[in-house]
Structures are given as structure tokens and as C-alpha cells.
Amino acid sequence: MTNVPEALKQIKPYLTLASQLDQKNEVCVGYYCRLYSVQKGMEINKSAPDCKKFLIQLMDILEALKKKYPNDETIHSEMVGQACVEKYALRIFDKADEDDRQALFSKNLVKQFYTAGLLFDILNCFGELSEDLVIKKQYAKRKAMYLNKCFQTGETPIPGPLVGENFREGFEYDDSKQANEQDISNQAIHSNQPEATTSKTNYDNYEDHQAACSVTVEVMQKAQKLCKYAQSALQYDDVSTAIKNLEECLTLLKN
């Protein structure tokens, strides 16, 4: 859909991504790109006649997809759909992060980080993101902006995490000033994507090692998640978040 109303221009990158995913037969991820666009569009402006009409058309497309794929659990089950989208987002992010840390810089790397950032946004369809995913989303958007700026100015990028006032916690990607988001999102999905990595989704099963322990399985699983969040935070130089998660983990296990 190319006739996105001006008032809803914020959702255009997600719809562009959905169209590109359609060409790769990524039905599940494309579906939730559109669902997120509807949800976001409703928040932005659902009363203007052109916006209302456009959002209704999007909802009709979603219903048509459900009818076209009646047995596809990734569309009909939010739990399965969330795992599918999260796995896809992590696959792209992990490959981009690996290449970046090896200083394998290219414009395709910008597109990879940018696409990962969009996909992490789309996971909001299923509720609040885990702290681990929030960290990755912020990092992907920062990296996309930073690398794009380097290519524009001729500056040599710095591999790995960046520290400085322009990469502070909570920084948001400003497409109007820093990058042509249409160009990035149009091309990002065309690149060769890596195979699935070892990154865990919310629905990966944890092995039960609690037979000889005094804590319950539920407590142990929560402690494992806190440790994973701390590890992710350290990977991106967020020491304060890592400390907070480890302290919560220790308190949990001692009680």
C-alpha cells in the first residue's frame, strides 16, 4: 500500500517492510508488521476520514490473510506468532552485531540494524518488551543512525558498542534528521539473511536442574532470565542495568 495518509507517515516503514517480507514469503512477520501498523495508526489518528479509510483497508487485508492461511498457527495464535517474529528479529540483529564487531562495515549493515529495530518495535503487538529486547532495540536503532551518519560524512565507524552523549539511554532514532528511512527499509529485507542463531525466544524451554536445589522451578527460571538480561546489558556497556538485574537475582535466590 503506497497511499499512506500524511498523518500516518510514521507507520510507512513498517508497511514497506511488510511488502518486502511478502516477496520473501515471510507470511507471519509480514502479517504482524501490518497489525502493528494498524495499532500504531489508531493511536496516531483514527478519526480523520482518510486515516480511518486507510486503517479499515489494512484491517481488511489482515482478515483476508487469516482466511487465506486458516491453518497457520503463527497468524492465528499470538503465542506462536510472537515466537516467530522474535526469532526473526534476533536472527537479523545477531548477524548485524557480529559483522559490526568484526568491523565488516557496509551500507547493508545499516539496513540490517534498521530492520532489526523495526522488528523489535513490531513485537509490541504482543505486549511490553522484555528488558533484554528493549536493550537490543535501542542499540539497533542507535547503530543504524550512527553507521548511516558515518557513511554520509566519510567518517570511519567504530566497531561494537558506542559510549557518549549521543548514545545515551533512551535515545530515539530521528529519521527526519539522520537517515532516509524509506531507502533503508526498502532495501534492508533484500539482503541475504543468516540462518537461525542460538538466541533464545520467550518460548524456548529451559532445562530443569532443580532436583537437588531448595528453590522452585519458577524461581530458578526467573533467576536465569535476570542473568540473561544482565549479560545482554554488559554486552552493550550498560553496567547499571547489569548490576540491577544481578542484585535482583541474588535477592531472589536467597529468599
Side-chain angles (χ1 to χ4, degrees):
M1 301 178 72
T2 58
N3 57 331
V4 181
E6 181 64 22
L8 298 179
K9 64 181 182 180
Q10 292 180 40
I11 69 174
K12 192 170 184 179
Y14 306 100
L15 294 174
T16 299
L17 181 57
S19 296
Q20 300 298 334
L21 286 162
D22 289 344
Q23 296 177 20
K24 296 177 68 68
N25 200 32
E26 293 288 349
V27 177
C28 166
V29 188
Y31 175 87
Y32 287 105
C33 283
R34 292 184 173 91
L35 179 60
Y36 177 76
S37 297
V38 170
Q39 294 176 348
K40 192 70 174 175
M42 295 284 282
E43 293 176 5
I44 297 170
N45 191 331
K46 62 181 179 180
S47 57
D50 59 338
C51 294
K52 183 177 180 180
K53 180 180 178 181
F54 182 79
L55 292 173
I56 290 175
Q57 290 175 343
L58 267 182
M59 288 187 278
D60 288 342
I61 291 175
L62 292 174
E63 287 303 312
L65 284 169
K66 283 186 174 181
K67 291 179 180 179
K68 184 177 180 179
Y69 301 99
N71 300 317
D72 191 335
E73 287 190 37
T74 63
I75 291 178
H76 294 275
S77 168
E78 284 195 1
M79 180 176 292
V80 179
Q82 180 179 8
C84 174
V85 177
E86 185 173 321
K87 181 179 180 180
Y88 194 85
L90 288 171
R91 188 177 71 180
I92 293 177
F93 175 85
D94 288 345
K95 177 58 177 173
D97 187 44
E98 179 183 352
D99 288 349
D100 175 63
R101 290 170 186 269
Q102 294 178 11
L104 301 177
F105 302 120
S106 67
K107 290 186 177 180
N108 182 63
L109 185 57
V110 179
K111 300 163 193 170
Q112 293 286 336
F113 273 124
Y114 183 76
T115 299
L118 294 180
L119 291 169
F120 287 133
D121 282 338
I122 289 162
L123 282 167
N124 283 292
C125 282
F126 310 102
E128 186 176 352
L129 297 183
S130 68
E131 192 168 359
D132 178 51
L133 293 179
V134 170
I135 291 172
K136 286 182 168 65
K137 181 183 80 168
Q138 292 174 343
Y139 186 77
K141 293 189 175 187
R142 293 168 185 168
K143 267 294 182 178
M145 185 202 70
Y146 168 72
L147 291 171
N148 188 69
K149 182 179 179 181
C150 286
F151 283 116
Q152 289 178 341
T153 62
E155 177 184 352
T156 301
I158 300 172
L162 290 166
V163 180
E165 61 180 3
N166 292 326
F167 294 89
R168 60 191 179 277
E169 184 71 13
F171 181 87
E172 290 298 331
Y173 182 78
D174 187 349
D175 60 279
S176 65
K177 296 180 181 180
Q178 299 295 342
N180 185 330
E181 71 173 16
Q182 185 65 40
D183 175 66
I184 295 175
S185 62
N186 274 341
Q187 300 180 53
I189 205 63
H190 283 306
S191 59
N192 293 326
Q193 303 294 355
E195 295 301 318
T197 68
T198 56
S199 297
K200 291 183 180 293
T201 70
N202 286 334
Y203 300 99
D204 286 326
N205 293 321
Y206 290 98
E207 294 183 359
D208 183 6
H209 297 296
Q210 280 67 246
C213 300
S214 59
V215 297
T216 65
V217 172
E218 182 180 359
V219 169
M220 185 61 76
Q221 289 178 341
K222 188 173 182 180
Q224 289 172 340
K225 287 184 179 180
L226 288 168
C227 288
K228 185 174 72 171
Y229 297 159
Q231 184 180 19
S232 259
L234 287 175
Q235 189 176 9
Y236 304 110
D237 291 352
D238 191 349
V239 177
S240 60
T241 298
I243 292 174
K244 176 184 174 184
N245 282 306
L246 289 174
E247 287 178 342
E248 288 181 10
C249 179
L250 287 173
T251 300
L252 183 68
L253 293 174
K254 288 178 180 179
N255 291 337

